[in-house]
Amino acid sequence: MEKNLVNAMISVPLPDWTTERLTARIVHLGCGAFHRAHQVVYTHHLLEQTDSDWGYCEVNLMSQQSALLIENLKKQSMRYTVAEQSQDVTTLKIIGSIKEAMHPLIDGAQAIIEKMASPEVAIISLTVTEKGYCINAATGHLDLNNPLIIHDLATPSSPRSAIGYITAALKLRFERQRSPVTILSCDNVRENGHVARQAVLDLARLQDETLAHWIEQRVTFPSTMVDRIVPAVTPETLTEIARLSGWKDPCAIACESFRQWVIEDNFANGRPDWDRVGAQFVEDVTPFEMMKLRMLNGAHSFLAYLGYLGGYVHISDTMTNADYRRAVHTLMLNEQAPTLLMPENTDLATYVENLLERFANPSLKHQTWQIAMDGSQKLPQRLLDSTRWHIEKGSDYRYLALGIAGWMRYVSGVDEQGQPIDVRDPLKEVFAAIYAKHGLSVAVVEELLAIESIFGEKLIKNRDVVDNVVRAYQRLLDVGARQTVAILCSQGEKQ
Ligand code: CS2
C-alpha cells in the first residue's frame, strides 16, 4: 500500500491544457461511474496524445444525486480522478476531456435540448442502462406504457426520458436545418445502436412523420461494445483515493486497468480518432457485443445471484471459492463460447482466462448486489439467448439453468439466512406478487418463466427448460447456493 501511495503521489500528471482547448462536440447523457471511467478516459488520452479538440458536455437527467455530481464537476473545473487498479498497482489519472456539465434541475430541460441541437455538436452518446431505452422487450418497440414515455408524449418539449431528450433535440436540428448527428449508445444492450434507433424513431413517428423520415435518412446509430469493470463508488472508495492522491475528489472513481471499446464505424458528422488510443472501429460489432454480453456479463450475473445467495459481498470474493471459479469457467467455455460466431483468429479460451483474472482482482470492490440489479433487463442477452441456442442444438445448458434459477431464488427478496434482500428491478412488484402467492417453493418457477418481457413465449412451453430450472431451483432451496454450485461442478467431472 505504501508503495502505491508513493507511486501515485509522484506520478499523477495534470492535463497540460484547460477547457478552453475543448469544443463540446459530444453531448453525453448519463454521466455515471462507467462513462467517466470509459469513454471520457479514451477522449482524454486523445487530447494527451494528439491535437484533438473533442470534448464532452455532460448531462445527467435523473436524480437529485446526479445533479450533485454535475455541481461538483463544475466546482473542480470539470476535472476528476480515475484510479485504475490492477491486482497490485493503482495508477491515478486526472481526466480533462469534459468542457461543460448540465442537469435539468440546474439548467432546465430547454437549455439542454438547445445544447444538443447546437451546430457544434456532432455526437450524442448515452449510458442510461438497459431500462433507459424504454423498450418493451416482447415487441422490440418503444414501451408506450412506460410512465416516462407517457409523460414525453404529452409534453415533448420538456421530456424526462433520454429518448425524449434525443427526439426533442433532433426535432430542433431538423426544423433549423442543422447538420445531422450520430447517436452513440454505450450500454450493455445487444445491438444497442438498433435499439436506440428503434426507440427514437418510434417516439418521433408518434409526433411527426417528416421528422421520423429525416432521422431515418440522416442520423446514424452505430452499435458499440464497451468494456471496463467499474464498481459503484462508495464512501470507502473516495476515502481510499483521497489517501492515495492527497486531495478529496467527490467525482473520483476506481476501476480496473483493462478497457475495451469496439465501435461500428458509421458516423453522420465526424468522430474522434478513438482508434489512436486503443478503441477499434469495425464494420460489424455484433460478434464482439455477443461475446462480451454472454461471456463477461453472463458470468457476472451468474456470480452475482449465486454469489449473493452464498453470502459473498464482492465478485472477487466468489472467486476465492474454487467451485464458483470452476463453475463460471465451465459456464463460459462450454455453454457460452460455443454459441458465438467470432471472426477468425479470436482466441476465446484466452479471453476466458483473462476474464477469470479480472473477476478475481481483489482491489475491485464490485458488489454482487450491484450486478444483481435489474435482472429482468439483463437476463435475456446474458443467459437466455444462449439457453435457446442449446435447446435448438440439443446440447447441455445446466450452468445456464442454474444461473436462471439463482436469479429466481434471488428475486424472492429473502436470503438463505431469512434476511431481506433489497431487490431493485422495474418488475419487482411482479416478483413480489408471485412470491406472495407461492412462498419459497418450486411453484414460482413456471410463473416467473411465464413473464413474456423476460423469457418470450417459447421457453415456458419447453418441458426440458422447465424441468432443468425446477431441478436447480429445488436444489437451491434444499442445500443452498454454495452446495448447489459444488454439486454441479462435481457432476460435470464425473461425465
Ligand atoms: C455488470 C457490468 O453491473 C453489471 O451488470 O455486469 O456493469 C460490467 O461490469 C461491465 O459491463 C463490464 O464492462
Side-chain angles (χ1 to χ4, degrees):
M1 257 335 181
E2 204 48 32
K3 182 170 136 249
N4 283 347
L5 180 67
V6 174
N7 279 349
M9 287 184 78
I10 53 173
S11 69
V12 191
L14 275 177
D16 62 4
W17 61 87
T18 67
T19 49
E20 290 294 298
R21 172 180 167 190
L22 310 175
T23 308
R25 294 170 199 263
I26 314 174
V27 174
H28 183 84
L29 307 182
C31 186
F34 179 74
H35 167 66
R36 300 207 301 288
H38 191 270
Q39 301 102 64
V40 193
V41 173
Y42 279 90
T43 310
H44 167 84
H45 286 310
L46 204 56
L47 289 159
E48 222 174 32
Q49 291 169 34
T50 70
D51 61 0
S52 160
D53 69 347
W54 287 83
Y56 278 97
C57 170
E58 295 296 341
V59 178
N60 267 341
L61 293 176
M62 295 299 171
S63 61
Q64 191 90 40
Q65 205 195 345
S66 74
L68 195 62
L69 181 102
I70 298 294
E71 272 170 358
N72 284 332
L73 271 176
K74 287 186 184 180
K75 282 188 206 147
Q76 45 196 59
S77 313
M78 304 296 161
R79 292 183 169 177
Y80 62 95
T81 321
V82 171
E84 297 181 338
Q85 305 177 304
S86 63
Q87 297 261 2
D88 40 34
V89 180
T90 298
T91 310
L92 298 185
K93 288 178 178 162
I94 306 297
I95 302 301
S97 46
I98 300 179
K99 168 110 180 165
E100 298 160 51
M102 303 175 88
H103 194 285
L105 293 176
I106 303 169
D107 304 276
Q110 206 45 49
I112 294 173
I113 295 166
E114 283 290 339
K115 181 78 213 175
M116 293 164 78
S118 74
E120 70 193 22
V121 170
I123 297 174
I124 298 171
S125 57
L126 58 164
T127 45
V128 291
T129 80
E130 295 86 348
K131 58 180 179 278
Y133 292 81
C134 305
I135 288 282
N136 173 338
T139 63
H141 281 278
L142 192 68
D143 180 2
L144 301 182
N145 294 319
N146 183 308
L148 294 177
I149 297 300
I150 294 173
H151 172 276
D152 292 358
L153 276 169
T155 49
S157 55
S158 54
R160 283 176 55 202
S161 73
I163 300 302
Y165 270 89
I166 293 172
T167 310
L170 292 177
K171 185 164 189 286
L172 279 193
R173 295 190 86 94
F174 168 59
E175 286 168 359
R176 296 178 185 170
Q177 302 187 350
R178 296 224 163 120
S179 54
V181 282
T182 300
I183 310 297
L184 190 66
S185 163
C186 299
D187 279 295
N188 283 324
V189 172
R190 71 188 150 203
E191 305 196 304
N192 50 13
H194 297 273
V195 172
R197 183 170 189 270
Q198 192 63 60
V200 170
L201 278 177
D202 283 349
L203 191 60
R205 257 190 215 111
L206 290 168
Q207 294 173 21
D208 177 353
E209 211 26 85
T210 58
L211 167 66
H213 184 71
W214 180 80
I215 296 173
E216 264 177 327
Q217 299 297 312
R218 306 291 305 279
V219 178
T220 59
F221 295 79
S223 284
T224 63
M225 180 269 249
V226 286
D227 190 8
R228 178 164 243 186
I229 296 177
V230 188
V233 182
T234 61
E236 292 74 39
T237 324
L238 294 184
T239 309
E240 175 62 8
I241 297 176
R243 198 181 69 78
L244 293 174
S245 68
W247 61 83
K248 271 194 188 157
D249 177 353
C251 307
I253 32 169
C255 59
E256 64 174 340
S257 47
F258 179 91
R259 60 181 155 88
Q260 189 177 10
W261 197 6
V262 188
I263 311 163
E264 183 185 334
D265 199 359
N266 179 22
F267 287 74
N269 188 11
R271 59 155 169 83
D273 293 331
W274 282 310
D275 50 336
R276 295 180 65 179
V277 287
Q280 221 180 322
F281 288 109
V282 298
E283 219 171 283
D284 182 10
V285 178
T286 322
F288 299 95
E289 273 189 319
M290 298 301 180
M291 173 183 78
K292 195 256 170 173
L293 287 170
R294 293 183 190 174
M295 303 281 255
L296 188 158
N297 296 115
H300 248 177
S301 288
F302 180 95
L303 291 173
Y305 297 118
L306 293 148
Y308 186 98
L309 293 169
Y312 295 113
V313 176
H314 303 114
I315 290 293
S316 57
D317 304 332
T318 68
M319 297 297 283
T320 60
N321 178 321
D323 295 322
Y324 276 67
R325 194 183 170 97
R326 207 158 359 129
V328 90
H329 186 243
T330 311
L331 168 74
M332 290 195 277
L333 214 53
N334 293 2
E335 297 190 8
Q336 301 282 35
T339 69
L340 300 169
L341 261 178
M342 298 307 296
E344 249 177 70
N345 300 329
T346 312
D347 181 355
L348 288 178
T350 305
Y351 186 69
V352 169
E353 290 308 320
N354 290 338
L355 284 177
L356 291 175
E357 208 169 298
R358 291 169 65 195
F359 293 161
N361 183 347
S363 309
L364 294 175
K365 300 291 174 226
H366 205 187
Q367 293 191 18
T368 48
W369 175 81
Q370 185 196 340
I371 299 169
M373 236 182 271
D374 288 347
S376 68
Q377 316 288 304
K378 293 176 176 173
L379 243 51
Q381 60 275 22
R382 296 182 180 203
L383 301 178
L384 304 181
D385 287 342
S386 327
T387 303
R388 286 190 194 92
W389 187 93
H390 286 288
I391 292 166
E392 210 167 281
K393 299 273 183 241
S395 42
D396 197 3
Y397 58 94
R398 282 175 301 167
Y399 288 82
L400 289 162
L402 177 56
I404 299 167
W407 167 78
M408 291 181 168
R409 174 67 185 81
Y410 178 89
V411 299
S412 70
V414 179
D415 73 11
E416 292 182 358
Q417 276 66 48
Q419 297 302 313
I421 302 176
D422 179 7
V423 177
R424 304 267 176 104
D425 196 292
L427 296 189
K428 183 181 153 165
E429 306 301 330
V430 177
F431 311 147
I434 293 174
Y435 271 98
K437 199 155 116 200
H438 298 288
L440 271 181
S441 83
V442 284
V444 300
V445 170
E446 291 205 39
E447 290 225 23
L448 288 165
L449 278 174
I451 303 175
E452 237 179 85
S453 67
I454 306 176
F455 294 97
E457 285 174 11
K458 290 195 186 140
L459 285 180
I460 176 89
K461 296 187 184 135
N462 186 304
R463 212 49 245 169
D464 192 59
V465 172
V466 178
D467 289 347
N468 262 309
V469 180
V470 163
R471 205 173 307 126
Y473 187 94
Q474 185 62 56
R475 186 156 281 154
L476 285 172
L477 291 185
D478 292 344
V479 298
R482 289 195 190 193
Q483 268 304 101
T484 304
V485 171
I487 292 170
L488 189 55
C489 288
S490 66
Q491 281 174 346
E493 268 164 17
K494 279 185 212 131
Q495 283 183 350

